[in-house]
Amino acid sequence: MPLFTARKQEKKVKVTFSNGLLFVEKPDGKQQAFPLEWFPKLLNATDEEREDWAQTAKGIHYNKLDLDVDF
């Protein structure tokens, strides 16, 4: 019988917000910026909603907003 364990996924990118932009910093130090206008749900989200995200194979997923940002 397989044994399953619940582990919190390690976040390998850093996500910040400033001046109407979403900044994603990758482990290699490269940074991408996305205008929040591209993501109306994220633009109008609370801090709590913005902080509830998980890294995916293609980018990040905001759990409470059901929103994916691919990079």
Side-chain angles (χ1 to χ4, degrees):
M1 184 168 166
L3 178 63
F4 295 97
T5 59
R7 283 190 258 165
K8 193 171 187 176
Q9 183 181 10
E10 181 181 338
K11 296 178 181 176
K12 296 181 180 178
V13 296
K14 181 179 177 184
V15 175
T16 56
F17 298 88
S18 180
N19 299 323
L21 295 170
L22 160 64
F23 292 95
V24 178
E25 186 176 332
K26 298 177 183 179
D28 63 5
K30 292 183 181 178
Q31 191 177 65
Q32 285 184 275
F34 302 91
L36 287 176
E37 294 170 348
W38 293 358
F39 309 100
K41 284 183 178 180
L42 202 50
L43 177 65
N44 299 312
T46 65
D47 288 342
E48 181 181 343
E49 291 169 326
R50 288 181 177 183
E51 291 172 6
D52 184 21
W53 60 273
Q55 189 168 342
T56 66
K58 294 183 179 182
I60 52 179
H61 175 77
Y62 286 90
N63 299 311
K64 293 183 180 181
L65 301 173
D66 193 27
L67 173 72
D68 292 305
V69 177
D70 296 338
F71 51 84

